[in-house]
Amino acid sequence: MRHFGSACIHLSKSKKIMVKRNPHFGKLSAEYLFLEVKKRKEALLNKQPNAKIISLGIGDTTEPIPKVIAEAMEKVALDLSTKSGYHGYGPYNGLEALREKITEKYYPGLVDKDEIFISDGIKSDMARLQILFGEKVTVAVQDPAYPAYISSSVITGKSGFFDPEQQYVDIVYMPCTAENDFFPDLSKTKRADIIFFCSPNNPTGSVPTHEQLEELVQFAKKNDSIIIFDAAYRVFIKDPNLPKSIYEIDGAKDVAIEFGSFSKYAGFTGIRLGWSVFPKELHFSEGLPVINDWERVLSSCYNGTSIISQMGGIASLENEGEEALNGIIDHYLGNAKILKDCIEKIGWPCFGGDNAPYLWIKVPGKKSWDAFEDILYKTHIVTTPGVGFGPSGEGYIRLSAFGHRADIEEAATRLLKFK
Ligand code: PLP
């Protein structure tokens, strides 16, 4: 066994070829959070095979896709079997009708349809984003944050090693804690070329105010940085006073790229559909438009998004589809309320859940993995340990509200007994 960074790897004795491994993989932390969660769940099942496990861990949707949306996808799939309905490659930036709908619904008067690029989801766009910026840029992330920002940055060479403090050297961590209302203290934040920022945040469920986002935009302008604004959960923001897009902030188009997704909105986690917004105003230091290079990345590394997903996306944004989906969003937010009421009865500090499908819970006197194990073994509920999202998540667990109502109610009953 040899140690590469903090990862312990068993070297194979089979024949070696001449190709060297990308050394950046050796810098990744040993375990991928959700694989480790799965491993520990399986360990419990080995000991207690009859345990009825409820998963409030991974943020995957559970409610079926409304029929009107499935029918739109069925129709285009069947049309493909006809001469007149057959399509080959689609436009690399997506169907105009879908780009128009996204503009109209989410960015009226803010963004042009030609600044929108349809994709197979944010996670793959994040990988393409790393190609766009190359390995030399420096990176800042909210701490805690969605792990893909860091892992895609590390794999593409933006960090040294994972240090004993469980942080990646060369990546700027912006602590977001209960003490700073989950918004980073920008007066103490070191400059980075690109700043990943997620609202509503996964995992804390926090949503910054207009004033806070103004501060972020000013910070990016002062430092000549680019904000990568991840709005995967924007549809969960019900408070009309909270911003849903970075472009609601004056001047944001000079410094921000935004990503959106149908995954959590329309239950498309398995169908795959998302988009990016690259404003024409955004330029590199040499004065060249960033959007031009993004077009080049897409034309070199992507052949467009499935036409079936895109037609489903259009149906999701039309009246009948949208109405049905709003009911599902309300259902998940109802789940979040049940869990939040339960945690408040228990008396643990609890954040998020009002404008987000996640609850961020401090378990008094416990480290994240200890709280995870304790809850798993005593209630058979799978949570996600907060420390897996960054060092500032230590002592927290995340609950996902994406479950079926009966499971959420049963989980709440078990948690109250656990107390
Ligand atoms: N961004 C955040 C913050 C997420 O939590 C997730 C998925 O959990 C994604 C992006 C991935 O989105 P997509 O399914 O569009 O790839």
Side-chain angles (χ1 to χ4, degrees), residues 65-132:
I65 292 168
K67 199 153 180 235
V68 61
I69 299 168
E71 279 171 352
M73 292 190 279
E74 179 190 40
K75 180 173 182 325
V76 66
L78 289 174
D79 280 354
L80 288 170
S81 72
T82 65
K83 277 215 161 98
S84 57
Y86 176 72
H87 274 272
Y89 292 118
Y92 74 95
N93 58 346
L95 297 175
E96 186 172 357
L98 178 56
R99 290 186 288 110
E100 256 167 18
K101 273 263 172 247
I102 292 174
T103 314
E104 185 189 302
K105 290 280 173 191
Y106 294 148
Y107 308 107
L110 296 174
V111 162
D112 190 85
K113 68 176 184 325
D114 296 334
E115 295 171 307
I116 292 189
F117 299 84
I118 306 300
S119 77
D120 55 350
I122 297 181
K123 205 177 209 177
S124 0
D125 263 342
M126 286 293 159
R128 291 185 280 266
L129 193 79
Q130 300 289 353
I131 298 173
L132 174 77

Side-chain angles (χ1 to χ4, degrees), residues 5 39 51 85 96-97 101 110 144 149 201 224 229 239-240 265 272 311 324 339 341 359 370 382-383 393 403:
K39 230 165 59 190
E96 186 172 357
K101 273 263 172 247
L110 296 174
Y149 310 140
N201 181 269
D224 289 323
F229 194 77
D239 182 340
Y265 167 53
R272 311 306 302 146
M311 292 312 286
L339 291 171
D341 288 350
L359 299 177
D370 295 337
V382 178
T383 61

Side-chain angles (χ1 to χ4, degrees), residues 23-338:
H24 304 310
F25 279 90
K27 299 171 190 168
L28 289 171
S29 71
E31 77 275 350
Y32 171 60
L33 175 63
F34 292 105
L35 283 184
E36 182 62 25
V37 166
K38 187 164 167 259
K39 230 165 59 190
R40 294 189 186 214
K41 182 179 98 177
E42 280 161 6
L44 166 81
L45 280 173
N46 279 339
K47 288 183 204 145
Q48 303 179 35
N50 295 326
K52 289 209 165 32
I53 293 198
I54 298 177
S55 179
L56 304 181
I58 288 189
D60 198 357
T61 45
T62 54
E63 290 299 306
I65 292 168
K67 199 153 180 235
V68 61
I69 299 168
E71 279 171 352
M73 292 190 279
E74 179 190 40
K75 180 173 182 325
V76 66
L78 289 174
D79 280 354
L80 288 170
S81 72
T82 65
K83 277 215 161 98
S84 57
Y86 176 72
H87 274 272
Y89 292 118
Y92 74 95
N93 58 346
L95 297 175
E96 186 172 357
L98 178 56
R99 290 186 288 110
E100 256 167 18
K101 273 263 172 247
I102 292 174
T103 314
E104 185 189 302
K105 290 280 173 191
Y106 294 148
Y107 308 107
L110 296 174
V111 162
D112 190 85
K113 68 176 184 325
D114 296 334
E115 295 171 307
I116 292 189
F117 299 84
I118 306 300
S119 77
D120 55 350
I122 297 181
K123 205 177 209 177
S124 0
D125 263 342
M126 286 293 159
R128 291 185 280 266
L129 193 79
Q130 300 289 353
I131 298 173
L132 174 77
F133 288 113
E135 79 179 282
K136 293 281 187 293
V137 292
T138 53
V139 167
V141 290
Q142 285 158 296
D143 168 24
Y146 176 52
Y149 310 140
I150 289 196
S151 52
S152 62
S153 298
V154 172
I155 289 168
T156 49
K158 290 171 196 64
S159 172
F161 284 90
F162 197 52
D163 72 13
E165 304 288 302
Q166 308 280 290
Q167 297 199 352
Y168 281 102
V169 176
D170 311 329
I171 289 183
V172 177
Y173 284 71
M174 305 187 291
C176 298
T177 59
E179 290 68 42
N180 62 17
D181 201 18
F182 299 102
F183 187 79
D185 182 348
L186 296 175
S187 68
K188 294 192 185 134
T189 301
K190 240 175 77 188
R191 182 198 177 275
D193 293 321
I194 55 177
I195 305 167
F196 287 100
F197 200 94
C198 179
S199 170
N201 181 269
N202 173 12
T204 64
S206 64
V207 182
T209 60
H210 278 273
E211 291 70 29
Q212 287 172 324
L213 283 192
E214 266 159 26
E215 207 188 307
L216 180 69
V217 167
Q218 287 316 317
F219 178 75
K221 287 198 166 183
K222 185 181 88 191
N223 287 305
D224 289 323
S225 307
I226 295 180
I227 300 164
I228 310 298
F229 194 77
D230 182 341
Y233 299 96
R234 63 167 284 155
V235 287
F236 292 90
I237 302 179
K238 291 292 173 184
D239 182 340
N241 297 316
L242 292 172
K244 293 183 171 172
S245 163
I246 190 78
Y247 303 122
E248 290 176 41
I249 308 304
D250 273 351
K253 288 184 89 180
D254 297 331
V255 286
I257 293 163
E258 182 164 306
F259 289 94
S261 175
F262 285 79
S263 284
K264 311 296 160 93
Y265 167 53
F268 274 23
T269 48
I271 291 175
R272 311 306 302 146
L273 188 65
W275 71 90
S276 56
V277 185
F278 278 74
K280 291 174 187 149
E281 288 88 337
L282 181 65
H283 288 80
F284 288 114
S285 58
E286 299 87 342
L288 297 167
V290 178
I291 189 173
N292 289 5
D293 284 3
W294 186 241
E295 287 173 335
R296 199 61 202 260
V297 170
L298 296 184
S299 62
S300 308
C301 309
Y302 191 54
N303 254 344
T305 307
S306 151
I307 183 140
I308 300 172
S309 318
Q310 293 193 72
M311 292 312 286
I314 292 173
S316 307
L317 296 173
E318 276 166 353
N319 290 346
E320 209 184 326
E322 194 180 30
E323 212 175 288
L325 291 174
N326 282 338
I328 296 177
I329 305 289
D330 287 346
H331 163 84
Y332 290 136
L333 286 171
N335 287 348
K337 181 160 177 10
I338 292 170

Side-chain angles (χ1 to χ4, degrees), residues 326-399:
N326 282 338
I328 296 177
I329 305 289
D330 287 346
H331 163 84
Y332 290 136
L333 286 171
N335 287 348
K337 181 160 177 10
I338 292 170
L339 291 171
K340 193 159 183 164
D341 288 350
C342 158
I343 300 297
E344 278 167 1
K345 273 193 203 139
I346 294 174
W348 293 341
C350 178
F351 307 91
D354 300 321
N355 293 285
Y358 296 121
L359 299 177
W360 189 238
I361 298 159
K362 176 114 186 111
V363 182
K366 289 226 185 305
K367 290 189 143 196
S368 294
W369 279 110
D370 295 337
F372 168 90
E373 291 267 321
D374 207 21
I375 294 170
L376 178 65
Y377 277 82
K378 291 188 180 145
T379 69
H380 299 164
I381 294 171
V382 178
T383 61
T384 310
V387 72
F389 297 96
S392 294
E394 183 58 282
Y396 283 84
I397 53 162
R398 187 195 75 172
L399 295 190

